[in-house]
Amino acid sequence: LISNIPEGSDVVITLDDTADGGLCSLTSTITSPTCAPTGSVDLQLKGIMDFTVPSGGSNGKAVHVFALSDIPDLSIYGFGLANNGQGSDGQEYTFDQISVNAGEHILVARNVAGISDYFTPSGIALFDHVLAGNSSISQNGNDAVELFKNNVVVETFGEINFTGGSTYYGMDWVYTDAWAYKMDDQWT
């Protein structure tokens, strides 16, 4: 075990073995990883939506997040979907470069008009910011969602790896045609 090596430092490891009268030598140089500090995490996942809306298709898909503190630049955050238990795809969506205040609700919708019609004017008004997403917002009820800060995962809803693929919906966190919602730090 080697520890306390500064990030980004080159480390040379040399092993010599003279057992059985022979000489075997191996030298390898590696660079210690550089870790991206996340600092405080001021945003949390609040809801994952896979609604059936009147306009049909993927128009009822959205991700709801909540600001725990003031965030001067929301674009340091993003999210990605881990589709069908096949592992992380990394960050696929980056939030707009806007500031948000503590206590604000942000909705990222694949189709703003479709999700607005579903919620009605008074329902959509409960969100302080409604942002247009992209085609990566394609969750179908068994896709995990990862929240990123500075390209580092800081929160995950669901399981990014599971056996069964696109037809498996046997997990207790599945939200097909529904809204997974976090209340008091518990998902419902």
Side-chain angles (χ1 to χ4, degrees):
L1 175 68
I2 302 170
S3 61
N4 297 321
I5 298 171
E7 292 182 39
S9 299
D10 287 337
V11 178
V12 177
I13 300 171
T14 302
L15 302 171
D16 290 318
D17 183 4
T18 56
D20 300 323
L23 177 62
C24 179
S25 182
L26 169 68
T27 300
S28 182
T29 301
I30 60 169
T31 302
S32 65
T34 302
C35 301
T38 57
S40 64
V41 178
D42 301 317
L43 193 68
Q44 70 172 343
L45 292 171
K46 190 72 172 168
I48 314 299
M49 299 168 203
D50 177 33
F51 294 145
T52 300
V53 297
S55 56
S58 297
N59 294 341
K61 298 176 187 308
V63 174
H64 173 196
V65 294
F66 178 75
L68 299 168
S69 301
D70 293 349
I71 303 171
D73 181 4
L74 191 60
S75 70
I76 64 172
Y77 289 93
F79 60 83
L81 300 179
N83 302 97
N84 302 318
Q86 300 301 304
S88 179
D89 291 330
Q91 184 171 319
E92 299 170 294
Y93 173 85
T94 301
F95 285 95
D96 293 350
Q97 190 175 359
I98 60 172
S99 64
V100 297
N101 297 315
E104 289 186 333
H105 293 266
I106 302 105
L107 183 70
V108 181
R110 179 165 174 151
N111 182 292
V112 172
I115 206 82
S116 295
D117 287 346
Y118 180 86
F119 274 113
T120 71
S122 59
I124 202 71
L126 297 172
F127 298 97
D128 301 288
H129 304 272
V130 179
L131 308 176
N134 56 30
S135 62
S136 69
I137 301 176
S138 61
Q139 65 272 15
N140 62 4
N142 73 344
D143 300 321
V145 178
E146 296 174 298
L147 179 65
F148 290 80
K149 181 180 180 186
N150 297 324
N151 294 307
V152 176
V153 176
V154 294
E155 184 181 2
T156 302
F157 167 78
E159 300 168 46
I160 65 170
N161 293 299
F162 61 82
T163 304
S166 63
T167 60
Y168 183 65
Y169 289 84
M171 297 79 64
D172 61 358
W173 54 269
V174 167
Y175 53 95
T176 306
D177 299 327
W179 183 356
Y181 190 76
K182 188 188 326 178
M183 183 175 276
D184 299 325
D185 291 322
Q186 298 295 316
W187 286 96
T188 61

Coordinates of all heavy atoms in Angstrom, one line a residue, residues 28-122:
S28 N 8.4 0.2 -13.5 CA 7.2 0.8 -14.1 C 7.0 2.2 -13.6 O 7.2 2.4 -12.4 CB 6.0 -0.1 -13.9 OG 4.9 0.5 -14.5
T29 N 6.6 3.1 -14.4 CA 6.3 4.5 -14.0 C 4.8 4.7 -14.1 O 4.3 4.4 -15.2 CB 7.1 5.5 -14.8 OG1 8.5 5.3 -14.7 CG2 6.8 6.9 -14.3
I30 N 4.2 5.2 -13.1 CA 2.8 5.5 -13.2 C 2.6 6.9 -12.6 O 3.4 7.5 -11.9 CB 1.9 4.5 -12.3 CG1 2.3 4.6 -10.8 CG2 2.0 3.1 -12.9 CD1 1.4 3.8 -9.9
T31 N 1.5 7.5 -13.0 CA 1.1 8.8 -12.5 C -0.1 8.7 -11.6 O -1.1 8.1 -12.0 CB 0.8 9.8 -13.7 OG1 2.0 9.8 -14.6 CG2 0.5 11.2 -13.2
S32 N 0.0 9.3 -10.4 CA -1.1 9.2 -9.5 C -2.2 10.0 -10.1 O -2.0 11.0 -10.8 CB -0.7 9.7 -8.1 OG -0.4 11.1 -8.2
P33 N -3.5 9.6 -9.8 CA -4.6 10.3 -10.4 C -4.8 11.7 -9.9 O -4.4 12.0 -8.8 CB -5.8 9.4 -10.1 CG -5.4 8.7 -8.9 CD -3.9 8.5 -9.0
T34 N -5.4 12.6 -10.7 CA -5.8 13.9 -10.3 C -7.3 13.8 -10.1 O -8.0 13.5 -11.0 CB -5.4 14.9 -11.3 OG1 -4.0 14.9 -11.5 CG2 -5.8 16.3 -10.9
C35 N -7.7 14.1 -8.9 CA -9.1 14.1 -8.5 C -9.8 15.4 -8.7 O -9.2 16.4 -8.3 CB -9.3 13.6 -7.1 SG -8.6 11.9 -6.9
A36 N -11.0 15.5 -9.2 CA -11.7 16.7 -9.3 C -12.5 17.0 -8.0 O -13.3 16.2 -7.7 CB -12.7 16.6 -10.5
P37 N -12.1 18.0 -7.3 CA -12.8 18.3 -6.1 C -14.3 18.8 -6.4 O -14.5 19.5 -7.3 CB -12.0 19.4 -5.5 CG -11.4 20.1 -6.6 CD -11.1 19.0 -7.6
T38 N -15.2 18.2 -5.7 CA -16.6 18.6 -5.9 C -17.0 19.8 -4.9 O -17.9 20.5 -5.2 CB -17.5 17.4 -5.7 OG1 -17.4 16.9 -4.4 CG2 -17.3 16.4 -6.7
G39 N -16.3 19.9 -3.8 CA -16.7 20.9 -2.9 C -18.1 20.5 -2.3 O -18.5 19.4 -2.3
S40 N -18.9 21.5 -1.9 CA -20.2 21.2 -1.4 C -21.1 20.9 -2.5 O -21.0 21.4 -3.6 CB -20.7 22.4 -0.6 OG -20.9 23.5 -1.4
V41 N -22.1 20.0 -2.3 CA -23.1 19.7 -3.3 C -24.3 20.4 -2.9 O -25.0 20.1 -1.9 CB -23.3 18.1 -3.3 CG1 -24.3 17.8 -4.3 CG2 -21.9 17.4 -3.7
D42 N -24.7 21.4 -3.8 CA -25.8 22.3 -3.5 C -27.1 22.0 -4.3 O -28.0 22.8 -4.3 CB -25.3 23.7 -3.7 CG -24.1 24.1 -2.8 OD1 -24.1 23.7 -1.7 OD2 -23.2 24.7 -3.4
L43 N -27.1 20.9 -5.0 CA -28.2 20.5 -5.8 C -28.5 19.0 -5.5 O -27.6 18.2 -5.3 CB -27.9 20.7 -7.3 CG -29.0 20.7 -8.3 CD1 -29.9 21.9 -8.1 CD2 -28.4 20.6 -9.7
Q44 N -29.8 18.7 -5.5 CA -30.2 17.3 -5.3 C -31.3 16.9 -6.3 O -32.1 17.7 -6.7 CB -30.6 17.0 -3.9 CG -31.9 17.6 -3.5 CD -32.4 17.1 -2.1 OE1 -31.9 16.1 -1.6 NE2 -33.3 17.8 -1.6
L45 N -31.2 15.6 -6.7 CA -32.3 15.0 -7.4 C -33.6 15.1 -6.6 O -33.6 14.8 -5.4 CB -32.0 13.6 -7.9 CG -30.9 13.4 -8.9 CD1 -30.6 11.9 -9.0 CD2 -31.2 14.0 -10.2
K46 N -34.7 15.4 -7.2 CA -36.0 15.5 -6.5 C -37.1 14.6 -7.1 O -37.9 14.1 -6.4 CB -36.4 17.0 -6.4 CG -37.6 17.2 -5.5 CD -37.2 17.1 -4.0 CE -38.3 17.6 -3.1 NZ -38.1 17.2 -1.7
G47 N -37.0 14.5 -8.5 CA -38.0 13.7 -9.1 C -37.6 13.3 -10.5 O -36.8 14.0 -11.2
I48 N -38.0 12.1 -10.9 CA -37.7 11.5 -12.2 C -39.0 11.2 -12.8 O -39.8 10.4 -12.2 CB -36.8 10.2 -12.1 CG1 -35.7 10.4 -11.1 CG2 -36.4 9.8 -13.5 CD1 -34.7 11.5 -11.5
M49 N -39.3 11.7 -14.0 CA -40.7 11.6 -14.6 C -40.6 10.8 -15.9 O -39.8 11.0 -16.7 CB -41.2 13.0 -14.9 CG -41.4 13.8 -13.6 SD -41.7 15.5 -14.0 CE -41.2 16.3 -12.4
D50 N -41.6 9.9 -16.0 CA -41.9 9.2 -17.2 C -43.4 9.2 -17.4 O -44.0 8.1 -17.3 CB -41.3 7.8 -17.1 CG -41.6 6.9 -18.3 OD1 -41.7 7.4 -19.4 OD2 -41.8 5.7 -18.2
F51 N -44.0 10.3 -17.7 CA -45.4 10.5 -17.8 C -45.9 10.1 -19.2 O -45.2 10.3 -20.2 CB -45.9 11.9 -17.5 CG -45.6 12.4 -16.1 CD1 -45.3 13.7 -15.9 CD2 -45.8 11.5 -15.0 CE1 -45.1 14.1 -14.6 CE2 -45.6 12.0 -13.7 CZ -45.2 13.3 -13.5
T52 N -47.1 9.6 -19.2 CA -47.8 9.5 -20.5 C -48.6 10.8 -20.6 O -49.5 11.1 -19.8 CB -48.8 8.3 -20.5 OG1 -48.0 7.1 -20.3 CG2 -49.5 8.2 -21.8
V53 N -48.3 11.6 -21.6 CA -48.9 12.9 -21.8 C -49.8 12.9 -23.1 O -49.6 12.1 -24.0 CB -47.9 14.0 -21.9 CG1 -47.1 14.1 -20.6 CG2 -46.9 13.8 -23.1
P54 N -50.7 13.8 -23.2 CA -51.6 13.8 -24.4 C -50.9 13.9 -25.7 O -51.3 13.3 -26.7 CB -52.5 15.1 -24.1 CG -52.5 15.3 -22.6 CD -51.1 14.8 -22.2
S55 N -49.8 14.6 -25.7 CA -49.0 14.8 -27.0 C -48.2 13.5 -27.3 O -47.7 13.4 -28.4 CB -48.1 16.0 -27.0 OG -47.2 15.9 -25.9
G56 N -48.1 12.6 -26.4 CA -47.5 11.3 -26.7 C -46.0 11.2 -26.8 O -45.3 12.2 -26.5
G57 N -45.5 10.1 -27.2 CA -44.0 9.9 -27.4 C -43.2 10.1 -26.1 O -43.6 9.7 -25.1
S58 N -42.1 10.8 -26.3 CA -41.2 11.1 -25.2 C -41.5 12.4 -24.5 O -40.7 12.9 -23.7 CB -39.8 11.0 -25.7 OG -39.5 9.7 -26.2
N59 N -42.6 13.0 -24.8 CA -42.9 14.4 -24.3 C -43.1 14.5 -22.8 O -43.1 15.5 -22.3 CB -44.1 15.0 -25.1 CG -43.7 15.2 -26.5 OD1 -42.6 15.2 -26.9 ND2 -44.7 15.3 -27.4
G60 N -43.3 13.3 -22.1 CA -43.6 13.4 -20.7 C -42.4 13.0 -19.8 O -42.5 12.7 -18.7
K61 N -41.2 13.1 -20.4 CA -40.0 12.8 -19.7 C -39.3 14.0 -19.2 O -39.2 15.0 -19.9 CB -39.1 12.0 -20.6 CG -39.7 10.7 -21.0 CD -38.9 9.9 -22.0 CE -39.6 8.7 -22.5 NZ -40.2 7.8 -21.6
A62 N -39.0 14.0 -17.9 CA -38.3 15.2 -17.2 C -37.6 14.8 -16.0 O -37.8 13.7 -15.5 CB -39.4 16.2 -16.9
V63 N -36.7 15.6 -15.6 CA -35.9 15.5 -14.3 C -36.1 16.7 -13.5 O -36.0 17.8 -14.0 CB -34.4 15.2 -14.6 CG1 -33.6 15.2 -13.3 CG2 -34.2 13.9 -15.5
H64 N -36.4 16.5 -12.2 CA -36.7 17.6 -11.3 C -35.5 17.6 -10.3 O -35.2 16.6 -9.7 CB -38.0 17.3 -10.6 CG -38.4 18.2 -9.5 ND1 -39.4 17.8 -8.6 CD2 -38.0 19.4 -9.1 CE1 -39.6 18.8 -7.7 NE2 -38.7 19.7 -8.0
V65 N -34.9 18.8 -10.1 CA -33.9 19.0 -9.1 C -34.2 20.1 -8.2 O -35.1 21.0 -8.5 CB -32.5 19.2 -9.7 CG1 -32.0 18.0 -10.5 CG2 -32.5 20.4 -10.6
F66 N -33.6 20.2 -7.0 CA -33.8 21.2 -6.0 C -32.5 21.8 -5.5 O -31.6 21.0 -5.2 CB -34.6 20.5 -4.8 CG -34.9 21.4 -3.7 CD1 -35.9 22.3 -3.8 CD2 -34.2 21.3 -2.5 CE1 -36.3 23.1 -2.7 CE2 -34.5 22.1 -1.4 CZ -35.5 23.0 -1.5
A67 N -32.5 23.1 -5.4 CA -31.3 23.8 -5.0 C -31.3 23.9 -3.4 O -32.2 24.4 -2.8 CB -31.2 25.2 -5.5
L68 N -30.3 23.3 -2.8 CA -30.1 23.3 -1.4 C -29.5 24.6 -0.9 O -29.7 25.0 0.3 CB -29.2 22.1 -0.9 CG -29.8 20.8 -1.3 CD1 -28.7 19.7 -1.1 CD2 -31.0 20.5 -0.5
S69 N -28.7 25.3 -1.8 CA -28.1 26.6 -1.5 C -28.1 27.4 -2.7 O -28.4 26.9 -3.8 CB -26.6 26.3 -1.0 OG -26.5 25.5 0.1
D70 N -27.7 28.7 -2.6 CA -27.6 29.5 -3.8 C -26.5 28.9 -4.7 O -25.4 28.5 -4.2 CB -27.2 30.9 -3.4 CG -28.3 31.7 -2.6 OD1 -29.4 31.2 -2.6 OD2 -28.0 32.8 -2.1
I71 N -26.8 28.9 -6.0 CA -25.8 28.4 -6.9 C -25.6 29.4 -8.0 O -26.5 29.7 -8.8 CB -26.3 27.0 -7.6 CG1 -26.5 26.0 -6.5 CG2 -25.2 26.5 -8.6 CD1 -27.2 24.7 -7.0
P72 N -24.5 30.1 -8.0 CA -24.3 31.2 -9.0 C -24.2 30.8 -10.4 O -24.6 31.5 -11.3 CB -23.0 31.9 -8.6 CG -22.4 31.1 -7.4 CD -23.4 30.0 -7.1
D73 N -23.8 29.5 -10.7 CA -23.7 29.0 -12.0 C -24.1 27.6 -12.1 O -23.3 26.7 -11.7 CB -22.2 29.2 -12.6 CG -22.1 28.7 -14.0 OD1 -23.1 28.3 -14.6 OD2 -20.9 28.7 -14.5
L74 N -25.3 27.3 -12.5 CA -25.9 26.0 -12.5 C -25.2 25.1 -13.5 O -25.3 23.9 -13.3 CB -27.4 26.1 -12.8 CG -28.2 24.8 -12.5 CD1 -28.2 24.4 -11.1 CD2 -29.7 25.0 -13.0
S75 N -24.5 25.6 -14.4 CA -23.9 24.8 -15.5 C -22.7 23.9 -15.0 O -22.2 23.1 -15.7 CB -23.4 25.7 -16.7 OG -22.3 26.5 -16.3
I76 N -22.3 24.1 -13.7 CA -21.3 23.1 -13.1 C -22.0 21.8 -12.8 O -21.3 20.8 -12.5 CB -20.6 23.7 -11.9 CG1 -21.6 23.9 -10.7 CG2 -19.9 25.0 -12.2 CD1 -20.9 24.3 -9.4
Y77 N -23.3 21.7 -12.9 CA -24.0 20.5 -12.7 C -24.6 19.9 -14.0 O -24.8 20.7 -15.0 CB -25.2 20.7 -11.8 CG -24.8 21.0 -10.3 CD1 -24.6 22.3 -9.9 CD2 -24.6 19.9 -9.5 CE1 -24.3 22.5 -8.6 CE2 -24.3 20.1 -8.1 CZ -24.1 21.4 -7.7 OH -23.7 21.7 -6.4
G78 N -24.9 18.7 -14.0 CA -25.5 18.0 -15.2 C -26.0 16.6 -14.7 O -25.9 16.3 -13.5
F79 N -26.6 15.9 -15.6 CA -27.0 14.6 -15.3 C -26.9 13.7 -16.5 O -26.7 14.1 -17.6 CB -28.4 14.5 -14.7 CG -29.5 15.0 -15.6 CD1 -30.1 14.3 -16.6 CD2 -29.9 16.4 -15.4 CE1 -31.1 14.7 -17.4 CE2 -30.9 16.9 -16.2 CZ -31.5 16.0 -17.2
G80 N -26.9 12.4 -16.2 CA -26.9 11.4 -17.3 C -27.8 10.2 -16.9 O -28.1 10.0 -15.7
L81 N -28.2 9.4 -17.9 CA -29.0 8.2 -17.6 C -28.1 7.0 -17.8 O -27.3 6.9 -18.7 CB -30.1 8.2 -18.6 CG -31.1 9.4 -18.6 CD1 -32.2 9.2 -19.7 CD2 -31.7 9.5 -17.3
A82 N -28.4 6.0 -16.9 CA -27.7 4.7 -17.1 C -28.8 3.8 -17.6 O -29.7 3.3 -16.8 CB -27.2 4.2 -15.7
N83 N -28.9 3.7 -18.9 CA -30.0 3.0 -19.6 C -30.0 1.5 -19.4 O -29.0 0.9 -19.6 CB -30.0 3.3 -21.1 CG -30.1 4.8 -21.3 OD1 -29.1 5.5 -21.5 ND2 -31.3 5.4 -21.2
N84 N -31.1 0.9 -18.9 CA -31.4 -0.5 -18.9 C -30.4 -1.3 -18.2 O -30.1 -2.5 -18.6 CB -31.6 -1.0 -20.4 CG -32.7 -0.3 -21.1 OD1 -33.7 0.0 -20.5 ND2 -32.4 0.1 -22.3
G85 N -29.8 -0.8 -17.1 CA -28.8 -1.5 -16.3 C -27.5 -1.7 -17.0 O -26.7 -2.6 -16.5
Q86 N -27.2 -1.0 -18.0 CA -25.9 -1.2 -18.8 C -24.8 -0.3 -18.3 O -23.8 -0.1 -19.0 CB -26.2 -0.9 -20.2 CG -27.2 -1.9 -20.8 CD -26.8 -3.3 -20.7 OE1 -25.8 -3.8 -21.1 NE2 -27.7 -4.1 -20.0
G87 N -24.9 0.3 -17.1 CA -23.8 1.1 -16.5 C -23.9 2.6 -17.0 O -24.8 3.0 -17.7
S88 N -23.0 3.4 -16.4 CA -23.1 4.8 -16.6 C -22.7 5.2 -18.1 O -21.8 4.6 -18.7 CB -22.1 5.5 -15.7 OG -22.1 6.9 -15.9
D89 N -23.4 6.2 -18.6 CA -23.1 6.8 -19.9 C -22.3 8.1 -19.7 O -22.1 8.8 -20.6 CB -24.3 7.0 -20.7 CG -25.0 5.7 -21.2 OD1 -24.2 4.7 -21.4 OD2 -26.2 5.7 -21.4
G90 N -22.1 8.5 -18.4 CA -21.5 9.7 -18.1 C -22.5 10.9 -18.2 O -23.7 10.6 -18.3
Q91 N -22.0 12.1 -18.1 CA -22.9 13.2 -18.1 C -23.4 13.5 -19.5 O -22.6 13.6 -20.5 CB -22.1 14.5 -17.6 CG -23.0 15.7 -17.5 CD -22.3 16.8 -16.8 OE1 -21.6 16.6 -15.8 NE2 -22.5 18.1 -17.3
E92 N -24.7 13.5 -19.7 CA -25.3 13.7 -21.0 C -26.0 15.0 -21.2 O -26.4 15.4 -22.3 CB -26.3 12.5 -21.3 CG -25.6 11.2 -21.3 CD -26.6 10.0 -21.3 OE1 -27.4 9.9 -20.3 OE2 -26.6 9.3 -22.3
Y93 N -26.3 15.7 -20.1 CA -27.0 17.0 -20.1 C -26.3 17.9 -19.1 O -25.9 17.5 -18.0 CB -28.4 16.8 -19.7 CG -29.2 18.1 -19.5 CD1 -29.7 18.8 -20.6 CD2 -29.2 18.8 -18.3 CE1 -30.3 20.0 -20.5 CE2 -29.8 20.0 -18.2 CZ -30.4 20.6 -19.3 OH -31.0 21.8 -19.1
T94 N -26.0 19.1 -19.6 CA -25.4 20.2 -18.7 C -26.5 21.2 -18.5 O -27.1 21.7 -19.5 CB -24.2 20.8 -19.4 OG1 -23.2 19.7 -19.6 CG2 -23.6 21.8 -18.5
F95 N -26.7 21.6 -17.3 CA -27.7 22.7 -17.0 C -27.3 24.0 -17.6 O -26.1 24.2 -17.8 CB -27.8 22.8 -15.4 CG -28.6 21.7 -14.8 CD1 -28.0 20.7 -14.2 CD2 -30.0 21.8 -14.7 CE1 -28.7 19.6 -13.6 CE2 -30.7 20.8 -14.1 CZ -30.1 19.7 -13.6
D96 N -28.3 24.9 -17.8 CA -28.0 26.2 -18.4 C -27.1 27.0 -17.4 O -27.2 26.8 -16.2 CB -29.3 26.9 -18.6 CG -30.2 26.3 -19.7 OD1 -29.7 25.4 -20.4 OD2 -31.4 26.7 -19.8
Q97 N -26.4 28.0 -18.0 CA -25.6 28.8 -17.2 C -26.5 30.0 -16.6 O -26.5 31.1 -17.1 CB -24.4 29.4 -18.0 CG -23.4 30.1 -17.2 CD -22.2 30.5 -18.0 OE1 -22.2 30.3 -19.2 NE2 -21.3 31.2 -17.4
I98 N -27.2 29.6 -15.5 CA -28.0 30.5 -14.8 C -27.7 30.4 -13.3 O -27.1 29.4 -12.9 CB -29.5 30.2 -15.1 CG1 -29.9 28.8 -14.6 CG2 -29.9 30.4 -16.5 CD1 -31.4 28.5 -14.6
S99 N -28.1 31.4 -12.6 CA -28.0 31.3 -11.1 C -29.4 30.9 -10.6 O -30.4 31.3 -11.1 CB -27.6 32.7 -10.5 OG -28.5 33.7 -10.8
V100 N -29.3 30.1 -9.5 CA -30.5 29.7 -8.8 C -30.4 30.0 -7.3 O -29.2 30.0 -6.8 CB -30.9 28.2 -9.1 CG1 -31.2 28.0 -10.5 CG2 -29.8 27.3 -8.6
N101 N -31.5 30.2 -6.7 CA -31.4 30.5 -5.2 C -31.8 29.2 -4.4 O -32.5 28.3 -4.9 CB -32.4 31.6 -4.9 CG -32.1 32.9 -5.6 OD1 -30.9 33.3 -5.5 ND2 -33.1 33.5 -6.1
A102 N -31.3 29.2 -3.2 CA -31.7 28.1 -2.3 C -33.2 28.0 -2.2 O -33.9 29.0 -2.2 CB -31.1 28.4 -0.9
G103 N -33.7 26.7 -2.3 CA -35.1 26.5 -2.2 C -35.8 26.5 -3.5 O -37.0 26.2 -3.5
E104 N -35.1 26.7 -4.6 CA -35.8 26.7 -5.9 C -35.8 25.3 -6.5 O -34.9 24.5 -6.4 CB -35.1 27.7 -6.8 CG -35.3 29.1 -6.4 CD -34.8 30.2 -7.4 OE1 -33.9 29.9 -8.2 OE2 -35.4 31.3 -7.5
H105 N -37.0 25.1 -7.2 CA -37.2 23.8 -8.0 C -36.9 24.1 -9.4 O -37.4 25.1 -10.0 CB -38.6 23.4 -7.8 CG -39.0 23.0 -6.4 ND1 -38.9 21.7 -5.9 CD2 -39.3 23.7 -5.3 CE1 -39.2 21.6 -4.7 NE2 -39.5 22.8 -4.2
I106 N -36.2 23.2 -10.0 CA -35.8 23.3 -11.4 C -36.3 22.0 -12.1 O -36.0 20.9 -11.7 CB -34.3 23.4 -11.6 CG1 -33.7 24.6 -10.9 CG2 -33.9 23.5 -13.1 CD1 -33.0 24.3 -9.6
L107 N -37.0 22.2 -13.2 CA -37.5 21.1 -14.0 C -36.8 21.1 -15.4 O -36.8 22.2 -16.1 CB -39.0 21.2 -14.2 CG -39.6 20.0 -15.0 CD1 -39.6 18.7 -14.2 CD2 -41.1 20.3 -15.3
V108 N -36.2 20.0 -15.8 CA -35.6 19.9 -17.1 C -36.5 18.9 -17.9 O -36.6 17.7 -17.5 CB -34.2 19.4 -17.1 CG1 -33.6 19.3 -18.5 CG2 -33.3 20.3 -16.2
A109 N -37.2 19.4 -18.9 CA -38.1 18.6 -19.7 C -37.6 18.4 -21.1 O -37.1 19.2 -21.7 CB -39.5 19.3 -19.7
R110 N -37.8 17.1 -21.5 CA -37.5 16.8 -22.9 C -38.3 17.7 -23.9 O -37.9 18.1 -24.9 CB -37.7 15.3 -23.2 CG -37.4 15.0 -24.6 CD -37.2 13.5 -24.8 NE -37.1 13.2 -26.2 CZ -36.4 12.2 -26.7 NH1 -35.8 11.4 -25.8 NH2 -36.3 11.9 -27.9
N111 N -39.6 17.9 -23.5 CA -40.5 18.7 -24.3 C -41.3 19.6 -23.4 O -42.2 19.2 -22.7 CB -41.4 17.8 -25.1 CG -42.4 18.6 -26.0 OD1 -43.2 19.3 -25.5 ND2 -42.2 18.5 -27.3
V112 N -40.9 20.9 -23.3 CA -41.5 21.8 -22.4 C -43.0 22.0 -22.6 O -43.7 22.0 -21.6 CB -40.7 23.2 -22.4 CG1 -41.5 24.2 -21.5 CG2 -39.3 23.1 -21.9
A113 N -43.4 22.1 -23.8 CA -44.9 22.3 -24.1 C -45.6 21.0 -23.6 O -46.7 21.2 -23.0 CB -45.1 22.5 -25.6
G114 N -45.1 19.8 -23.9 CA -45.8 18.6 -23.5 C -45.9 18.5 -22.0 O -47.0 18.1 -21.5
I115 N -44.9 18.7 -21.3 CA -44.9 18.6 -19.8 C -45.7 19.7 -19.2 O -46.4 19.5 -18.2 CB -43.5 18.5 -19.3 CG1 -43.5 17.7 -17.9 CG2 -42.8 19.8 -19.1 CD1 -43.5 16.2 -18.1
S116 N -45.7 20.9 -19.8 CA -46.5 22.0 -19.3 C -48.0 21.7 -19.5 O -48.8 22.1 -18.6 CB -46.2 23.3 -20.1 OG -44.8 23.7 -19.8
D117 N -48.4 21.1 -20.6 CA -49.8 20.8 -20.8 C -50.2 19.7 -19.7 O -51.3 19.8 -19.2 CB -50.0 20.2 -22.2 CG -50.0 21.3 -23.2 OD1 -50.0 22.5 -22.9 OD2 -49.9 20.9 -24.4
Y118 N -49.3 18.8 -19.4 CA -49.6 17.8 -18.4 C -49.9 18.4 -17.0 O -50.8 18.0 -16.4 CB -48.5 16.7 -18.4 CG -48.7 15.6 -17.4 CD1 -49.5 14.5 -17.7 CD2 -48.3 15.7 -16.1 CE1 -49.7 13.5 -16.8 CE2 -48.5 14.7 -15.2 CZ -49.2 13.6 -15.5 OH -49.4 12.6 -14.6
F119 N -49.0 19.3 -16.7 CA -49.1 19.9 -15.3 C -50.2 21.0 -15.2 O -50.5 21.3 -14.1 CB -47.7 20.5 -14.9 CG -46.8 19.5 -14.3 CD1 -45.6 19.2 -14.9 CD2 -47.0 19.0 -13.0 CE1 -44.7 18.3 -14.4 CE2 -46.2 18.1 -12.5 CZ -45.0 17.7 -13.1
T120 N -50.6 21.5 -16.3 CA -51.5 22.7 -16.3 C -50.7 23.9 -15.9 O -49.7 23.8 -15.2 CB -52.8 22.5 -15.4 OG1 -52.4 22.6 -14.0 CG2 -53.5 21.2 -15.7
P121 N -51.3 25.1 -16.2 CA -50.5 26.3 -15.8 C -50.2 26.5 -14.3 O -49.1 26.9 -13.9 CB -51.4 27.5 -16.3 CG -52.2 26.9 -17.4 CD -52.4 25.4 -17.0
S122 N -51.1 26.1 -13.5 CA -50.9 26.3 -12.0 C -49.9 25.2 -11.5 O -49.1 25.5 -10.6 CB -52.2 26.2 -11.2 OG -52.8 24.9 -11.4

